[in-house]
Amino acid sequence: MRIAVDAMGGDFAPDAIVEGVVMATKELPSDVTIVLVGRQRVIEDLLQKYKYAGSGVEIVHAEDVVEMGEHPTRALSQKPNSSIGVGFKLLRDKAVDVFCSAGNTGAMHVGALFSIKAIEGVMRPAIAGFVPQLSGGFAVMVDIGANADCKPEMLLQFGEIGSIYAQYTFGIDQPRVALLNIGEEEQKGSLLAQAAYQLLKNSPKINFVGNMEGGDLFRDKADVIVTDGFTGNILFKMGESVYELNRDLGLKHEFTDKTNYESVGGSPIVGVNGNVIIAHGISSPLAIKNMISLAKRQVESDAYTKIAQALS
């Protein structure tokens, strides 16, 4: 397995990225290689700084960097030799099995659409987030930011591809799919939510369990939580704030530790022809290490192929 990581993407890149990669190599099996994409001399110096002397890391040189504030489409077209551009070329050419970055989220999303492209039949690829549950596992929330405005048919598809992802990545048989709404009753919510409810209810492809309110986010009511990217992004980031709030108040609990963004480390783009993981721009070395662990699990699950087969 070959896991490509953008060494130059993120607020604390390249130091935090390379340090996280070195941390990850201590836990990865010998058949996994991490391919660091970025400025070779800089990466070599950092590998030396963090005393890496193994053989599980390769470097692919990329001179340019897509900065966090750059326009995604313009940056990718003007900087084909950026670490994100080169990373997607490696993924497109199947030289790596997955590409991960804590860099410009828009550029990662656009790069995925232009390089490996959406799976045939997918209206809009989405970003999936992992919501910790009191039972100990995680629920998959789709979408958490890629599609602020959605049609009912898109929410139906989020439920379908999210269900396949949860089934193969987490080994959940018949994942429970819920629609995020302002009440549990069928007739509640916006026109979008009401129309999506009927589509989800009548889909033979999923195990739909009805509406779910925001207050039940962590209470194991569903394995897949369906919502538009606008609502999902707000709620997901609110959930992540639980860790920081507790930390600031001097409180600590095993569950709230899981709401820390570092605990999973990244979010996959689902609905594209390949494995793409997006990490927080503020990613720490620990977050990068855990992102790599997620990437390995996603490659092993082959979820994107299962989604393609289901939609063919």
Side-chain angles (χ1 to χ4, degrees), residues 94-113:
K94 300 190 182 302
V96 297
D97 299 294
V98 56
F99 177 45
C100 313
S101 176
N104 187 306
T105 299
M108 286 295 291
H109 198 254
V110 170
L113 292 176

Side-chain angles (χ1 to χ4, degrees), residues 285-298:
L286 176 61
I288 297 301
K289 180 184 82 73
N290 288 334
M291 174 190 69
I292 292 169
S293 177
L294 170 65
K296 176 178 177 291
R297 187 164 69 245
Q298 182 159 326

Side-chain angles (χ1 to χ4, degrees), residues 96-136:
V96 297
D97 299 294
V98 56
F99 177 45
C100 313
S101 176
N104 187 306
T105 299
M108 286 295 291
H109 198 254
V110 170
L113 292 176
F114 278 88
S115 60
I116 56 174
K117 305 186 185 308
I119 292 170
E120 186 175 356
V122 170
M123 288 175 272
R124 293 280 185 86
I127 301 174
F130 302 101
V131 182
Q133 301 296 297
L134 288 172
S135 62

